[in-house]
Amino acid sequence: MSAIELNNLNIAYSSVQVVHGASLTVEEGESFALVGESGSGKSTILKAICGLNDEWTGEIKLYGEKVDPRKRADISRISQMVFQDPYGSLHPRKTVDTTLSEPLTIHGIKDNGDRVVEMLNAVGLDQRYRFRFPHQMSGGQRQRVAIARALMLKPKLMLLDEPTSALDVSVQAEILNLLKQLRKDQNLTFLLVTHDLPVVSFLCDRLAVMKKGKIVEIATRDQLAKGTFNEPYSQELYQASKHEHVA
Amino acid sequence: MSQKLLEVEDLRVTFPTHQGDVEVVKGISFDLGRERLAIVGESGSGKSMTGRAILKLIRSPGRVTAKKFVFDGIDLNKQSERQMRKLRGARISMVMQDPKFSLNPVLSIEDQIAEALRTHQTLTRKELDEKVLHMLEQVRINDPARVAKLYPHEVSGGMGQRIMIAMMLIPEPDLLIADEPTSALDVSVQAQVLDLIDNLIREKGMGLILISHDLNLVANYADRVLVMNAGEIVEQRDAADLQNATHPYTQGLLNAMPRLDETRDELPTLDRTQWAAT
Amino acid sequence: MSNMTEWLLSDSPTSKGQAFAGRTWRMWLSLLGNPLAITGLIIVVVLVLMAAFAPLIAPYSPIGQDLENRLLPPSWQHWMGTDELGRDIFSRVVYGSRLTLMIVLLVAAISAPIGLVIGAISGYFGGWVDKVMMGITDIFLSMPKLIMALAFVAALGPGIENAIIAIAITAWPAYARIARAETLTFRNAEFIDAIKLQGASPARIIINHVLPLCTSSMIVRVTLDMAGIILTAAGLGFLGLGAQPPLPEWGAMISRGRAFILDQWWVATMPGFAIIVVSLGFCFLGDGLRDILDPKNEGKS
Ligand SMILES: Nc1ncnc2c1ncn2[C@@H]1O[C@H](COP(=O)(O)OP(=O)(O)OP(=O)(O)O)[C@@H](O)[C@H]1O
Ligand SMILES: Nc1ncnc2c1ncn2[C@@H]1O[C@H](COP(=O)(O)OP(=O)(O)OP(=O)(O)O)[C@@H](O)[C@H]1O
Ligand SMILES: [Mg+2]
Ligand SMILES: [Mg+2]
């Protein structure tokens, strides 16, 4: 069964259409990347999938079940999202502990803090950080907290919106390693938005290239490594990335 | 190098905390001509603080001190807050790291850019509108007429960054400090936006301080690179020469980047215990 | 002691309690570093103590008349002199602090939460909810406070309880506006989206995530407004619509002293002085709190 199936998805913001007829399938356990132009609607697709925007038409299926944009069932235990900006996605007045326990309280899961400890370990954060406030942590540490929060309800599907673009290369490496490890350990499915092709190469099996609200090409990681894309725009992205590299 | 635009000697930024003073920039020195200088380093190494210190924009209780601190013949040490305000924006401007924090959440994009334009020149409503659209086009925003009417939370991450850049270029400053200006942009737009900045710098003979953690970008768009770690400069190099960096920290940063044809199962990370700061 | 401070200032607390205590302790330290705020705090604490121990502090009864000793100037027997019925003004001022404190606290306790909740709901939902709620708020805001309070007291009947209710009714719209403005700046923030994705209901989001971010500016604003509340209460007292005689309410005392202002200046001046000192105290404290409650000033570890 596929984890996500999008068929002819159109998404609008107050009647301005920003995504046009997007279709793609992400298999269970797969790691799939959405890359492409800034403003092309990548974040918008993730938000539609997880229910933060319901102005869409077309079809979204999660694990075989159709999602109805208006009668939205609570999918928080199936799928979670990690946001682009680690500075904006944590509540400034809540300690790490509160942030992480909140999803458990909401779902009435009784737990005496074991899950929090477990998740902090899973994302490689020392217990020292458990009662810190966001402003007492660096960007990389905050992003780890955001990932831990997404994992609290043990979802099967993780939607990752540029999880490392605000982080420096060394922290990026840590987070990427972490994501790879977590996927292996917990058998997660990833849908990852990024503008960084090397990240795709490290973490993903397939990628979809977007431009101006349309998916122009779906390619595999091999194609990316060799640079054998079919569409001119994908080629352009590939060339630009290649050109940039020093090492 | 003809004329020095900025001379900094022994720049320090200190924050008093309840556990005593913490120095986050520890006495760095550098010169800048009308050229492109990059500052790289990992998160928390003091890059942004250095940038803000030049504008004297460190929030109190933070303190900035320097033995020598001269911008184009003006001694910044002696400038009052009022005089600094005149310099900021007009002669030195800065693209802040967090565009969504730096934009006013309750003003539309159009109004914010217009506001910035108006403080520098008097324009009629119509000229103003045209100029706003032109600016958005320049930073490669598709459909500028629609985007102009949006509020900051309605633009994508990359658009926000480009809007900030457009606003900072309006007054045509002598020195532009760009703090992670393109971290949310895809490579091709990134290249276009940096080319735009680059052209402006060449045409107007401006100076640029480019703060980034992206070593690729820095190698392509700067003449000289300062590598910072824990508030100190650990290495200075010509950008073209970056891959020959000798300091283990710089090498660590270079190795931590994934490649297009990545085969490694795990990326090497920095061993922070060597440099552990906080 | 040094162990204790270390425990409090630890940047990696090991329990909720320690994190909370540490935060409070840090605020306390920054408060100590702010002389104006400390002055304000001392004034407010003195006011509270005065109210609590009024019978012990006041040398005379606040309502006992002594017509032989009317309108005496300040002296060792009567520190602030006596009024037209021979009552000791100092004792009245001391007992008056109870009324003042009660008015201020009740008004704050009624109007701030109403304003907060209405503003937060309005800002969070936006759309027609916002339009309706802010429409109502604006109607209240557009009328002068004192006149509206007058109208309400006239309808409810004079008396201190009704004065409190009337002032509270006039005070909440300003708080609703502030809370809404504050909410607007972060209602689209990603941390709110994130909590929605955890399956939280709107009520939960507003109570647990929106309100805590509005409260600090609200506390500051309420503290700064206390001076205004005291004055409005005094105004109502002055017009005979607030505290009824013989209650030693400061505003009412001034209005009675007005008749003797030229010859027996102390009758009106002493309670006026009390109002000024207490108002200033609240202002200083509010200003200090503004600096302290701003999370960016909390000093990073
Ligand atoms: N709330 C909103 N209201 C109106 N338009 C919106 C809103 N959110 C996004 N948009 C528009 O939708 C388009 C796609 O935005 P989206 O955030 O999905 O881009 P993106 O592909 O994630 O880009 P980036 O890489 O820059 O983050 C943009 O043109 C943006 O202006
Ligand atoms: N108000 C403050 N009080 C104490 N320390 C602070 C304060 N603001 C920043 N710092 C510290 O200053 C150091 C340098 O911060 P700076 O923002 O310059 O880092 P940076 O190099 O720009 O990192 P990044 O790549 O994450 O933006 C950090 O360790 C940070 O924790
Ligand atoms: Mg995005
Ligand atoms: Mg920075």
Side-chain angles (χ1 to χ4, degrees):
Chain A
M1 189 176 24
S2 44
I4 309 176
E5 212 181 311
L6 307 181
N7 281 321
N8 197 18
L9 183 67
N10 295 307
I11 312 175
Y13 281 112
S14 46
S15 75
V16 179
Q17 194 173 346
V18 294
V19 173
H20 307 266
S23 303
L24 59 84
T25 311
V26 181
E27 297 304 328
E28 225 178 321
E30 192 182 21
S31 167
F32 192 98
L34 270 181
V35 302
E37 214 185 11
S38 160
S40 58
K42 306 181 296 289
S43 305
T44 304
I45 290 185
L46 292 201
K47 285 189 180 155
I49 294 175
C50 67
L52 287 175
N53 175 9
D54 53 15
E55 277 191 72
W56 51 265
T57 59
E59 190 179 66
I60 299 180
K61 273 190 190 167
L62 293 179
Y63 294 93
E65 280 194 40
K66 266 198 202 175
V67 176
D68 184 334
R70 266 150 288 277
K71 279 187 294 184
R72 194 115 204 154
D74 185 8
I75 57 160
S76 50
R77 305 185 73 160
I78 300 174
S79 145
Q80 281 293 334
M81 180 157 167
V82 175
F83 293 88
Q84 185 162 357
D85 175 9
Y87 294 90
S89 65
L90 297 180
H91 194 288
R93 293 292 174 86
K94 306 230 177 253
T95 60
V96 173
D97 183 68
T98 323
T99 302
L100 295 186
S101 331
E102 178 102 23
L104 301 179
T105 331
I106 292 171
H107 292 269
I109 300 171
K110 290 260 179 318
D111 173 273
N112 43 12
D114 294 347
R115 183 89 69 91
V116 173
V117 173
E118 181 192 330
M119 283 307 152
L120 283 178
N121 284 333
V123 297
L125 269 184
D126 198 282
Q127 297 300 322
R128 285 188 294 144
Y129 294 99
R130 182 165 168 196
F131 296 99
R132 285 204 189 184
F133 289 92
H135 71 258
Q136 298 171 310
M137 289 182 295
S138 76
Q141 291 163 343
R142 292 183 203 209
Q143 197 63 309
R144 281 165 193 261
V145 174
I147 294 173
R149 171 178 59 191
L151 290 170
M152 283 309 283
L153 293 172
K154 310 227 157 158
K156 295 186 274 186
L157 172 63
M158 292 272 275
L159 307 170
L160 305 158
D161 192 356
E162 313 219 21
T164 59
S165 76
L167 308 175
D168 72 273
V169 280
S170 64
V171 183
Q172 164 171 298
E174 287 168 24
I175 300 273
L176 291 179
N177 287 337
L178 166 69
L179 287 171
K180 200 166 197 172
Q181 189 64 38
L182 285 171
R183 185 157 86 94
K184 211 164 19 170
D185 295 348
Q186 314 200 358
N187 196 21
L188 298 166
T189 308
F190 283 169
L191 177 56
L192 168 93
V193 169
T194 178
H195 58 258
D196 198 3
L197 292 182
V199 169
V200 177
S201 160
F202 178 72
L203 199 62
C204 300
D205 310 316
R206 289 193 298 151
L207 70 157
V209 182
M210 289 193 69
K211 186 176 192 206
K212 295 202 173 148
K214 295 201 176 77
I215 294 182
V216 295
E217 179 168 8
I218 295 185
T220 63
R221 178 159 134 196
D222 276 346
Q223 276 176 283
L224 172 63
K226 300 200 190 82
T228 52
F229 288 104
N230 300 322
E231 286 295 317
Y233 178 66
S234 326
Q235 270 300 335
E236 190 188 317
L237 272 186
Y238 176 78
Q239 289 303 340
S241 307
K242 198 174 159 121
H243 168 73
E244 252 217 347
H245 240 247
V246 266
Chain B
M1 207 182 306
S2 52
Q3 235 258 289
K4 293 231 171 79
L5 188 57
L6 182 71
E7 288 170 88
V8 178
E9 204 185 309
D10 199 26
L11 176 73
R12 287 168 195 276
V13 177
T14 322
F15 282 97
T17 68
H18 298 306
Q19 288 107 316
D21 285 6
V22 179
E23 236 176 27
V24 298
V25 176
K26 299 172 184 156
I28 64 171
S29 309
F30 61 90
D31 295 334
L32 177 80
R34 300 203 174 255
E35 58 172 339
R36 304 170 305 171
L37 175 76
I39 304 181
V40 296
E42 65 174 322
S43 175
S45 55
K47 307 183 295 292
S48 304
M49 286 300 149
T50 306
R52 299 180 78 107
I54 294 171
L55 284 167
K56 294 226 242 166
L57 265 184
I58 304 282
R59 224 186 262 117
S60 75
R63 280 193 315 272
V64 185
T65 58
K67 280 216 187 89
K68 190 167 177 196
F69 201 10
V70 182
F71 166 74
D72 201 17
I74 306 170
D75 187 351
L76 296 181
N77 270 332
K78 298 214 181 81
Q79 299 294 297
S80 67
E81 177 56 29
R82 199 213 239 124
Q83 288 166 313
M84 278 313 290
R85 263 204 293 270
K86 270 200 200 129
L87 279 179
R88 278 181 214 137
R91 303 214 48 207
I92 313 179
S93 68
M94 178 161 179
V95 179
M96 297 285 177
Q97 184 163 12
D98 212 318
K100 294 223 167 155
F101 267 164
S102 312
L103 293 171
N104 185 340
V106 292
L107 274 188
S108 72
I109 302 301
E110 184 174 47
D111 290 343
Q112 309 203 21
I113 301 183
E115 175 99 20
L117 280 169
R118 235 179 278 131
T119 51
H120 292 283
Q121 42 194 299
T122 37
L123 293 167
T124 65
R125 188 70 230 176
K126 192 153 160 279
E127 284 171 326
L128 212 53
D129 286 347
E130 269 166 22
K131 198 126 191 198
V132 168
L133 291 188
H134 177 67
M135 302 282 333
L136 291 177
E137 247 162 50
Q138 266 201 322
V139 287
R140 302 289 178 281
I141 287 189
N142 297 324
D143 199 359
R146 179 180 70 88
V147 174
K149 299 270 183 287
L150 297 179
Y151 286 85
H153 73 272
E154 299 176 331
V155 301
S156 77
M159 289 170 163
Q161 277 194 328
R162 284 177 281 168
I163 290 161
M164 273 304 283
I165 293 174
M167 286 175 53
M168 289 307 142
L169 292 177
I170 288 171
E172 301 189 343
D174 293 286
L175 172 61
L176 177 68
I177 303 172
D179 193 355
E180 311 272 5
T182 58
S183 61
L185 298 179
D186 67 86
V187 268
S188 70
V189 175
Q190 185 172 64
Q192 290 170 347
V193 169
L194 287 168
D195 284 337
L196 168 79
I197 297 182
D198 219 51
N199 282 339
L200 262 173
I201 286 168
R202 282 177 212 282
E203 272 168 35
K204 308 257 152 59
M206 295 159 48
L208 171 72
I209 297 183
L210 179 65
I211 300 177
S212 176
H213 59 253
D214 188 338
L215 293 143
N216 291 323
L217 181 134
V218 157
N220 286 319
Y221 286 95
D223 307 315
R224 239 164 12 108
V225 181
L226 304 182
V227 183
M228 276 187 81
N229 177 33
E232 286 163 15
I233 295 179
V234 296
E235 188 156 7
Q236 287 209 42
R237 289 209 160 248
D238 282 340
D241 197 27
L242 194 60
Q243 58 277 49
N244 305 326
T246 49
H247 196 279
Y249 173 73
T250 319
Q251 283 175 340
L253 288 180
L254 282 167
N255 287 332
M257 286 186 297
R259 311 213 170 91
L260 262 175
D261 49 353
E262 190 53 69
T263 49
R264 291 174 288 185
D265 221 21
E266 194 177 321
L267 297 169
T269 52
L270 286 173
D271 176 13
R272 287 226 171 58
T273 49
Q274 287 183 52
W275 307 286
T278 32
Chain C
M1 184 60 209
S2 82
N3 268 343
M4 184 70 185
T5 352
E6 236 164 64
W7 181 82
L8 282 167
L9 288 178
S10 154
D11 59 6
S12 354
T14 51
S15 69
K16 274 191 213 309
Q18 190 184 356
F20 178 77
R23 206 161 110 94
T24 319
W25 180 245
R26 283 200 179 96
M27 285 189 188
W28 175 240
L29 286 182
S30 357
L31 188 73
L32 286 187
N34 185 335
L36 269 189
I38 279 297
T39 317
L41 184 70
I42 291 174
I43 293 175
V44 172
V45 167
V46 167
L47 177 74
V48 170
L49 291 179
M50 212 152 90
F53 300 108
L56 299 181
I57 298 170
Y60 301 90
S61 148
I63 46 176
Q65 302 182 5
D66 180 4
L67 291 176
E68 268 167 36
N69 291 323
R70 50 194 298 268
L71 295 173
L72 292 181
S75 65
W76 281 116
Q77 267 88 43
H78 300 282
W79 292 357
M80 293 184 176
T82 59
D83 67 5
E84 78 281 11
L85 296 173
R87 296 174 296 200
D88 179 48
I89 295 183
F90 177 68
S91 304
R92 283 179 70 75
V93 167
V94 169
Y95 273 92
S97 66
R98 290 186 157 184
L99 287 176
T100 303
L101 206 59
M102 180 177 85
I103 293 173
V104 157
L105 290 184
L106 281 179
V107 169
I110 297 170
S111 57
I114 295 180
L116 256 179
V117 169
I118 290 185
I121 290 178
S122 183
Y124 178 75
F125 287 106
W128 65 266
V129 177
D130 185 34
K131 287 215 177 73
V132 171
M133 287 189 152
M134 281 303 117
I136 297 172
T137 310
D138 282 342
I139 294 176
F140 276 90
L141 264 184
S142 63
M143 285 185 269
K145 265 193 179 178
L146 189 60
I147 295 188
M148 197 162 52
L150 267 178
F152 278 106
V153 179
L156 298 167
I160 192 147
E161 299 83 7
N162 290 343
I164 290 171
I165 294 173
I167 298 174
I169 288 174
T170 61
W172 71 265
Y175 301 143
R177 274 275 165 202
I178 298 172
R180 173 177 176 271
E182 197 95 342
T183 309
L184 281 186
T185 61
F186 58 76
R187 75 149 181 212
N188 297 306
E190 285 181 346
F191 63 84
I192 299 286
D193 279 348
I195 192 67
K196 275 187 204 160
L197 286 186
Q198 310 286 349
S201 62
R204 186 180 190 97
I205 297 178
I206 291 180
I207 294 170
N208 279 354
H209 298 262
V210 174
L211 289 186
L213 285 174
C214 302
T215 38
S216 59
S217 57
M218 193 62 57
I219 290 175
V220 171
R221 181 60 198 248
V222 169
T223 320
L224 290 174
D225 274 0
M226 296 223 160
I229 296 173
I230 296 174
L231 293 179
T232 312
L236 288 176
F238 184 91
L239 294 169
L241 294 170
Q244 297 301 303
L247 282 184
E249 202 268 324
W250 294 349
M253 286 165 73
I254 297 181
S255 84
R256 303 186 61 102
R258 193 179 46 124
F260 324 102
I261 189 87
L262 289 179
D263 300 322
Q264 286 87 23
W265 55 269
W266 58 90
V267 182
T269 312
M270 291 305 175
F273 189 62
I275 291 180
I276 290 175
V277 171
V278 171
S279 304
L280 270 182
F282 277 116
C283 280
F284 288 161
L285 185 62
D287 245 9
L289 285 177
R290 171 169 24 227
D291 296 341
I292 293 156
L293 292 176
D294 182 355
K296 285 173 203 114
N297 280 340
E298 246 168 60
K300 300 192 178 176
S301 55

